[in-house]
Amino acid sequence: MDDLNPQVFGYVMDRLLQEGALDVFGIPVQMKKSRPGMLLTILVKPEDAARLTEIIFSETTTLGVRRRDESRQVLARKWITVTTKWGDVRLKIASMNGTVTNYAPEYDDCKRIAAEHQVPLKDVMQEAVQHYLRGIVK
Amino acid sequence: MDDLNPQVFGYVMDRLLQEGALDVFGIPVQMKKSRPGMLLTILVKPEDAARLTEIIFSETTTLGVRRRDESRQVLARKWITVTTKWGDVRLKIASMNGTVTNYAPEYDDCKRIAAEHQVPLKDVMQEAVQHYLRGIVK
Amino acid sequence: MDDLNPQVFGYVMDRLLQEGALDVFGIPVQMKKSRPGMLLTILVKPEDAARLTEIIFSETTTLGVRRRDESRQVLARKWITVTTKWGDVRLKIASMNGTVTNYAPEYDDCKRIAAEHQVPLKDVMQEAVQHYLRGIVK
Amino acid sequence: MDDLNPQVFGYVMDRLLQEGALDVFGIPVQMKKSRPGMLLTILVKPEDAARLTEIIFSETTTLGVRRRDESRQVLARKWITVTTKWGDVRLKIASMNGTVTNYAPEYDDCKRIAAEHQVPLKDVMQEAVQHYLRGIVK
Amino acid sequence: MDDLNPQVFGYVMDRLLQEGALDVFGIPVQMKKSRPGMLLTILVKPEDAARLTEIIFSETTTLGVRRRDESRQVLARKWITVTTKWGDVRLKIASMNGTVTNYAPEYDDCKRIAAEHQVPLKDVMQEAVQHYLRGIVK
Amino acid sequence: MDDLNPQVFGYVMDRLLQEGALDVFGIPVQMKKSRPGMLLTILVKPEDAARLTEIIFSETTTLGVRRRDESRQVLARKWITVTTKWGDVRLKIASMNGTVTNYAPEYDDCKRIAAEHQVPLKDVMQEAVQHYLRGIVK
């Protein structure tokens, strides 16, 4: 889109996520006539495609929406909770073939704790990871 | 592409549009060896794919062009003309299921008027939109 | 910065704004070793520089913060409120040398109304602008 | 700016160049609330600063323009013309301390020839460079 | 991905190329909550897809990898070597339907020569191109 | 710059760092005529400015280099080494006013270990951080 107010772009991004999009992101693109356009991409489950496409048409200035089908391989995921000195933080543990490949502290938990305890967000996130790893490596 | 002169990129973008591409855009991408590359994407009707691919090969430095088929849902569109105090401006009216979702003043009309009357482009565009909306809401 | 978790970047951006930064933005930059870095820039009043710099040091991974002084020319601004069919919306009216150069509907008012009345944000924004312009051009 | 229609951005860029800006470029930036903003930067001679700042205020949605003074070191430049098999092309030759550091074919000449003779732009540019280098290295 | 350390991104890009990816690039994207994310895209031969996907899962923070099949049209390519005053440089010559569309000096050869002979890289590249073109046009 | 081959850009970035630039980064910018340009920015100590500016002129296509003076506030930094199960890793510890604000594992150490032991880079980095934090929190 080369004629959409960026404020609307941020709004639409949030709305699509609330309405069930699996993921939403924007890519700054170079368009004709030196226009800095935005390419809006959303990942949706097939059953939601029609409904979310309608939202894109009503909320944005676009006249066309492209669709393609892709397959997606996702890791097994589970949630665990660790108790840090500042409070509980959930971590999302992802594994592939039984091996843990990633452990990510839940952003909202960390953000809440960072504000409450006046500590840097990155420290809260690292603290949560520490507790998780200690739980594994005794 | 990680070895194309940006001046050529701008040129190719215009040429592909003249030659029938439905849309053309460039995305700045991060490539190996800290190279700031450009990903050129064009939307074409299937019958134009071969011809436009040849233009990409002859005009740019790329050695390969990828192709994928996508379906596109487009809104119904019609043109109307409003008469503003500075002159006529066409608007493209898009609708979905009978409801108007977007009304966009034609850029070239607005640009011409802005230059002629020495008024900011955004004011010309807003004026055209005003006339359109007044025409609806008496 | 070439080693900051993007989640922390979003958090820091918000925190700096809450703590008094006049503006905060991030620019994706190409760094050595094919790293997609982020350049964080904040505009601050001189009296806030030291305090906000400390926040950048404690919340991010940066080891250095650059500072430069710039002069800023700002437009005169005033708030007005229009009453649309969906409710009140404030607009920020900017003027230069007595002439209005910009009129922007307040995002939060429009967002609230869009959700309440289930209408597209861009329509609420356009409605507010309409009311403003009608108020001028009888 | 986080609320400017990208079509206006392209227009303003061109207008500022016509009005005397030495250079104009836009940088896509990440702003608050997931808005894809644009940072407009122009290089101007000090005597043009006030006039061009007014154009930015009247044409865009910005409420503030920052200014800073920078020193600029520029290379000595001269124009030469080569006669290629397709016609004349001017080249801008830049030198530092008497040594040529860059030779760039004039874009508009190359573009015109490319269209006339139906040859790729990059070939016209390379042909012009060839003639220039042959002129040096007998 | 909105939570990957950019240093890891650069590392993964290199590793995937070493492990057989045909091409790897990153696109800076705007994600929710003002996060500057990165979209990692790799082109792989179908037989390598599973193996390279596992590398992406183990090295990055992503929880899902999307896959789509695309067809690719590539130009015929051949290598030639020219002998410049500074040493040998290979060029990759690409042709379409028998016509040469591109000639690109091999980066590593040029880089080595530039360092050895203390000459600008762009001059080495241009010299190699010169020799190639002279070999054609007697 | 709107006419520089991206391969040269990556090369120049590396060369400037080798030649003493404190930092080098590139920003993709939107230029006139739909050109995807690159803005090259380097941070240098004043005594290196002239020499590095000459390198920019000789290696790139730019005809002008702008300079501005900025003040920089840097954190106190020290190096420590931790011994992980895979080998030694150095960490750069940054502090502000006596408080540690950041601890970053040395990339090259982690990269070497990741290759040697066939483990994901992010795991090596996390392991090094773990050892550092354990050293503090008994």
Side-chain angles (χ1 to χ4, degrees), chain C residues 75-94:
Chain C
L75 296 181
R77 55 196 76 182
K78 72 177 187 187
W79 288 96
I80 69 149
T81 301
V82 296
T83 303
T84 74
K85 61 191 175 198
W86 295 308
D88 281 0
V89 177
R90 289 167 296 170
L91 282 98
K92 188 189 289 185
I93 314 297

Side-chain angles (χ1 to χ4, degrees), chain E residues 8-77:
Chain E
V8 177
F9 195 91
Y11 173 82
V12 172
M13 188 177 268
D14 289 343
R15 195 173 165 216
L16 289 166
L17 283 165
Q18 284 172 23
E19 295 277 353
L22 298 175
D23 203 1
V24 181
F25 56 90
I27 305 180
V29 299
Q30 175 112 20
M31 302 189 74
K32 67 181 182 188
K33 305 196 187 181
S34 304
R35 292 169 186 171
M38 274 310 267
L39 174 65
L40 172 68
T41 302
I42 69 177
L43 304 196
V44 301
K45 290 190 215 139
E47 58 266 32
D48 294 325
R51 185 171 56 83
L52 293 175
T53 299
E54 277 208 24
I55 292 178
I56 291 178
F57 277 132
S58 60
E59 295 282 357
T60 78
T61 56
T62 194
L63 270 57
V65 172
R66 294 183 282 131
R67 168 175 173 160
R68 61 178 181 258
D69 295 319
E70 295 188 344
S71 59
R72 202 164 75 125
Q73 186 179 340
V74 293
L75 297 181
R77 55 194 78 180

Side-chain angles (χ1 to χ4, degrees), chain B residues 29-37 85 100-103 122-123 126-127 129-131 133-134 137, chain C residues 29-37 85 100-103 122-123 126-127 129-131 133-134 137:
Chain B
V29 299
Q30 176 111 18
M31 302 189 75
K32 68 183 180 184
K33 305 195 187 183
S34 303
R35 294 170 184 169
K85 63 190 173 196
V100 168
T101 56
N102 203 56
Y103 33 87
K122 64 176 157 86
D123 291 356
Q126 189 53 245
E127 183 73 11
V129 164
Q130 277 273 96
H131 276 266
L133 291 175
R134 281 181 183 165
V137 183
Chain C
V29 300
Q30 175 111 19
M31 302 189 74
K32 69 182 179 188
K33 305 195 187 184
S34 304
R35 294 170 185 169
K85 61 191 175 198
V100 167
T101 57
N102 203 55
Y103 34 86
K122 65 177 156 86
D123 291 357
Q126 187 55 243
E127 182 73 11
V129 164
Q130 275 271 95
H131 276 266
L133 291 175
R134 281 182 182 162
V137 184

